[in-house]
Amino acid sequence: MNDPNGLVYFKGEYHLFYQYFPGDIVWGPMHWGHAVSRDLVHWKHLPIALYPDSLGYIFSGSVVVDWQNSSGLGQDGEPPLIALFTYHDMAAEKAGKHDFQNQGLAFSNDRGRTWVKYAGNPVLHNPGKYKDFRDPKVMWDQLREQWVMTLAVKDHVEFWGSKDLKKWTLLSQFGQNHGAHGGVWECPDLFPIQVEGTSETRWVLLVSINPGGPNGGSATQYFVGEYDGKNFVPDPGFDADSSLWVDYGRDNYAGVTWSDIPQQDGRRLFIGWMSNWDYAQVVPTASWRSAMTLPRSLKLRKATQRYRLYSQPVQEIQALYGKKAVIGPLAIQDNYNITQTTGLGKGPALLDLEFAWQEGIQPDFGLRLKNPNGEIYRIGFDAKQNQFYSDRRLAGPNTFSRAFGASVHFAPRIETGKTLHLKIVLDHASCELFADEGATTMTEIFFPSGHFTEIELYSDKEPVQLVRGSIRSLNSIWR
Ligand code: FRU
């Protein structure tokens, strides 16, 4: 599997479709896999939703609820679910054509259980100028009363408008001179969001790029600005080569947000693919290959003169909470073994840690995961450099990929508060860091030869104060 697709909420269910090749654990002819959840945490696998056909493989795309039946594809007065996805025509690509990526439509009138491909596909044909023409993300623009499709087109995005989800006209383009351009643009997402604590609404545009991420390979940048129904105009500061990142880790790619979250809920919910094209095809797993990040709730806040996205795991993860132990307050010099003192930390866990240190010193501290094979993963903060880091160089055999464990990965600290807060979610093969209430996030995967069985806190150079801390074990999402 790779990208999440078709994220939509409908009749009590969160749908998660995803890029899926059922025939192998490497990328191949793409289908849409399908899972549903009632709480974003426990998921049920459903049969494959979309199979490739004569028009091509089924690449990434989105699903919306067509509440007013603008498409005319609904049944019995119920709104249909409409999927817009990219048809990737392999034969046309091999034949050297330029227009092998086109947008197709499929609809469902049974809560996403079965899908019918629209007879008039493709609904949006590639004009042929750019080969990369994919990953439609559709939203209902309430102010202008039209559907808006954001499409990734090589090195920019295009906005297309429609009244019926079937006929599309080009509204505008954005991005050739904005943001990071280390690789091709993919999987965009445009949405309005209220600035936290105000009544102001801004528009956020997510754009994944591969390669060109802050720590190499795949990553997701974002822009904040205005959208007037035609053009997206970014705030100052988003010039060429200046970008903000949803996540600084190596393993959060192609993430987009859920459609049709009820207004009473009001959240902007996001999920990403927890891998990186630098090594996604060769990670040392057997019956599975890669996973999604935790579902996250995105907020927009004005911080250090700019609007920034903050991400937090959804509160629903409380449903997984197991045993809890309080850690500290205590001073950490060298190291402090959490597992030995609390008995927790042998499996998936959530850590909540708040640190402080004396003025004038610059500690380097964090969390170390260890196993009996001598393998170590570190996630920490270096006060001197004012940055977070993730170090998986010694976290397991790294011979499957040169790109995987070659270096330490860094993320800037954005908040400047007196204390530093880390929320860390650990699974057997991943670490998700939400620092300073989600101002900086880092998601990284690792493959130890045996499970990590011990967690310790460390402070390498100077002492650091753990003001407040807790660890909870997390239960399996598979009940
Ligand atoms: C991103 C991506 C998309 C494409 C899909 C194919 O990871 O390359 O642009 O639609 O994966 O699987």
Side-chain angles (χ1 to χ4, degrees):
M1 54 163 268
N2 46 287
D3 318 355
N5 296 151
L7 306 177
V8 68
Y9 179 84
F10 187 53
K11 298 202 168 173
E13 291 177 321
Y14 297 92
H15 291 265
L16 164 60
F17 301 87
Y18 53 93
Q19 287 289 281
Y20 181 43
F21 177 41
D24 202 343
I25 57 167
V26 289
W27 192 91
M30 282 288 126
H31 301 54
W32 273 25
H34 190 192
V36 285
S37 173
R38 293 195 161 267
D39 66 359
L40 287 166
V41 175
H42 299 94
W43 293 89
K44 190 164 96 190
H45 284 297
L46 291 183
I48 290 173
L50 294 172
Y51 285 77
D53 60 47
S54 62
L55 293 177
Y57 297 173
I58 315 294
F59 272 20
S60 287
S62 50
V63 170
V64 288
V65 184
D66 184 9
W67 290 106
Q68 297 169 37
N69 195 23
S70 66
S71 62
L73 297 168
Q75 238 173 35
D76 308 327
E78 290 287 319
L81 292 179
I82 304 284
L84 272 304
F85 55 87
T86 300
Y87 266 124
H88 182 100
D89 183 344
M90 227 39 191
E93 183 184 15
K94 281 201 186 114
K97 298 209 171 130
H98 272 218
D99 59 349
F100 54 84
Q101 293 192 335
N102 301 291
Q103 316 321 317
L105 184 154
F107 57 97
S108 169
N109 283 303
D110 59 358
R111 294 160 54 243
R113 288 343 187 240
T114 60
W115 292 82
V116 179
K117 295 196 186 111
Y118 178 58
N121 276 340
V123 291
L124 173 53
H125 203 281
N126 187 339
K129 190 166 176 202
Y130 301 98
K131 293 186 209 171
D132 297 296
F133 189 72
R134 61 175 177 272
D135 306 342
K137 181 73 164 78
V138 176
M139 59 151 297
W140 176 247
D141 178 1
Q142 201 150 7
L143 285 177
R144 270 67 60 163
E145 302 218 317
Q146 66 170 343
W147 297 103
V148 176
M149 174 198 287
T150 308
L151 209 58
V153 186
K154 193 184 171 195
D155 57 357
H156 61 280
V157 296
E158 290 181 0
F159 302 109
W160 292 73
S162 176
K163 291 284 176 198
D164 64 2
L165 293 159
K166 297 187 284 201
K167 277 187 294 308
W168 294 91
T169 37
L170 183 63
L171 299 169
S172 68
Q173 303 184 334
F174 167 77
Q176 247 149 356
N177 300 311
H178 294 94
H181 282 279
V184 67
W185 283 26
E186 300 185 313
C187 301
D189 188 4
L190 174 74
F191 53 85
I193 190 169
Q194 209 170 318
V195 183
E196 205 187 8
T198 76
S199 56
E200 191 191 358
T201 297
R202 307 291 293 160
W203 289 76
V204 168
L205 174 65
L206 310 182
V207 179
S208 282
I209 72 165
N210 177 52
N215 282 292
S218 325
T220 304
Q221 61 182 321
Y222 69 93
F223 302 89
V224 183
E226 275 303 331
Y227 178 70
D228 64 4
K230 191 166 164 36
N231 294 293
F232 177 80
V233 180
D235 289 348
F238 289 104
D239 312 328
D241 295 325
S242 67
S243 38
L244 298 179
W245 302 93
V246 170
D247 192 309
Y248 282 83
R250 288 273 263 158
D251 300 295
N252 182 354
Y253 191 60
V256 285
T257 64
W258 258 274
S259 283
D260 297 283
I261 296 297
Q263 226 162 16
Q264 320 82 276
D265 179 321
R267 289 179 296 174
R268 184 48 65 173
L269 301 174
F270 167 100
I271 203 165
W273 172 48
M274 200 153 57
S275 195
N276 189 310
W277 283 120
D278 271 2
Y279 42 74
Q281 312 248 50
V282 296
V283 292
T285 57
S287 60
W288 63 289
R289 180 143 290 164
S290 71
M292 297 295 171
T293 65
L294 284 171
R296 300 173 183 188
S297 172
L298 302 183
K299 291 202 166 139
L300 192 69
R301 270 196 206 162
K302 198 153 195 190
T304 55
Q305 305 307 312
R306 270 184 110 156
Y307 296 98
R308 286 189 186 260
L309 280 182
Y310 283 61
S311 2
Q312 288 276 335
V314 294
Q315 83 227 6
E316 283 90 339
I317 67 164
Q318 289 175 7
L320 301 177
Y321 284 2
K323 281 195 193 131
K324 178 184 177 183
V326 170
I327 319 163
L330 55 95
I332 300 157
Q333 182 99 56
D334 302 327
N335 52 60
Y336 175 84
N337 194 309
I338 295 177
T339 309
Q340 272 166 25
T341 47
T342 67
L344 302 180
K346 291 179 196 295
L350 165 69
L351 290 111
D352 240 301
L353 306 165
E354 191 176 327
F355 296 95
W357 54 94
Q358 273 170 11
E359 226 159 288
I361 68 163
Q362 295 181 313
D364 181 329
F365 60 93
L367 218 64
R368 203 153 31 213
L369 313 189
K370 306 205 295 192
N371 69 11
N373 305 348
E375 291 157 355
I376 293 173
Y377 171 71
R378 292 190 314 143
I379 178 113
F381 179 70
D382 178 349
K384 192 165 176 199
Q385 305 298 334
N386 199 36
Q387 62 189 8
F388 302 94
Y389 57 84
S390 163
D391 181 2
R392 62 185 179 192
R393 289 173 303 171
L394 304 174
N398 280 335
T399 47
F400 59 89
S401 153
R402 286 191 60 156
F404 186 83
S407 53
V408 181
H409 307 139
F410 299 100
R413 185 172 191 210
I414 286 151
E415 290 279 347
T416 50
K418 272 210 140 177
T419 65
L420 182 142
H421 181 240
L422 304 181
K423 183 180 278 186
I424 295 173
V425 181
L426 299 171
D427 202 343
H428 292 298
S430 60
C431 173
E432 294 175 71
L433 165 69
F434 305 86
D436 299 316
E437 293 180 41
T440 302
T441 66
M442 272 190 114
T443 302
E444 299 247 318
I445 57 175
F446 36 73
F447 300 95
S449 59
H451 287 328
F452 287 122
T453 49
E454 275 185 87
I455 304 179
E456 62 187 27
L457 291 167
Y458 66 87
S459 185
D460 276 349
K461 296 179 189 134
E462 317 255 19
V464 70
Q465 198 66 32
L466 180 71
V467 184
R468 194 171 56 80
S470 71
I471 179 170
R472 290 175 194 270
S473 56
L474 295 175
N475 297 322
S476 167
I477 70 164
W478 305 112
R479 288 189 214 269

